[in-house]
Amino acid sequence: MALINKLKYIILACFVYEIYTQSCPEKNGRFADPSQCDKYIECNDGVPEEKTCPDGLFFNDKAQWFNYPCGYPVDVDCGSRARFQPPQATEECPHQFGYYKIGDRANCGQWMNCVNGKSFVFECPEGLAWSSETYRCDWPDEVEDCDAEAYLGFKCPPLVNPEFQPQENRYYPHPTDCHKYFLCVGTSPRLFNCGIEGAYDESIYACNGVENVTTCH
């Protein structure tokens, strides 16, 4: 009986060792789950432990050992790991963590940062729009899901002579605020602000001291 129990123990030990060996490509490290992007295996001395990133974050297999291994989607390449844990949405956030645009194509300047299911709202500097692809504020015409004309409230005038008139670097004063102006890049507007002490000077196509711009008095 003792011999049988010993053999059972050896077989069980070998089975457990085989599982550990299969789960741990190396003795120590973190390794991506082959199918789920927010799950990974952490190995310590050859012993694997299955872990899952917080909802909304993905496992970054390029993170150094002493760095937190879970990151925002923009920083992680999931590759073929197309599965994710079910979202843990709240009244404020679609996931527990993440950056999310607020508004439609005509209201592109705000986004929220979700932390533990609670949202914190931020706004881009004037004239810029939030990009869900890069997680930063950019020119509205560079943001795919933003309508620059609707967002800025300005439509670039058509070219008088498209054959000879350059397509870029056309400047126009703001229709209601002399401290601001628009730069049309092709047919897309971009908003600039000269500041409280400056004004747009049509004669030089640039900002000037407000005292030097008669149309701003």
Side-chain angles (χ1 to χ4, degrees), residues 117-193:
K118 182 174 177 57
S119 65
F120 299 87
V121 178
F122 299 89
E123 190 162 350
C124 289
E126 183 184 39
L128 299 183
W130 171 254
S131 172
S132 301
E133 292 185 356
T134 62
Y135 283 20
R136 63 184 178 90
C137 296
D138 205 343
W139 297 115
D141 57 284
E142 296 290 339
V143 177
E144 184 176 357
D145 57 355
C146 183
D147 184 333
E149 292 181 356
Y151 175 50
L152 298 178
F154 183 82
K155 182 178 178 64
C156 291
L159 295 173
V160 177
N161 192 340
E163 185 176 350
F164 299 101
Q165 193 173 358
Q167 292 285 334
E168 297 186 356
N169 297 333
R170 293 183 292 137
Y171 298 88
Y172 300 94
H174 193 285
T176 61
D177 191 334
C178 62
H179 299 280
K180 302 175 184 179
Y181 66 97
F182 291 97
L183 165 65
C184 286
V185 179
T187 59
S188 300
R190 295 180 179 180
L191 177 65
F192 291 83
N193 194 328

Side-chain angles (χ1 to χ4, degrees), residues 30 49 51 65 79 99 106 114 125 146 151 153 156 167 169 176 195 214:
R30 302 187 188 100
E49 181 181 359
K51 293 189 174 183
W65 177 253
Y99 288 87
C114 288
C146 183
Y151 175 50
C156 291
Q167 292 285 334
N169 297 333
T176 61
T214 56

Side-chain angles (χ1 to χ4, degrees), residues 55-100:
D55 173 42
L57 302 182
F58 299 163
F59 172 65
N60 186 356
D61 58 356
K62 295 179 174 58
Q64 299 297 316
W65 177 253
F66 294 103
N67 294 335
Y68 187 59
C70 300
Y72 292 106
V74 71
D75 298 319
V76 178
D77 181 9
C78 287
S80 61
R81 298 177 292 149
R83 292 179 55 243
F84 307 95
Q85 64 182 296
Q88 302 169 29
T90 66
E91 292 183 358
E92 301 179 26
C93 297
H95 293 274
Q96 290 292 306
F97 290 85
Y99 288 87
Y100 304 98

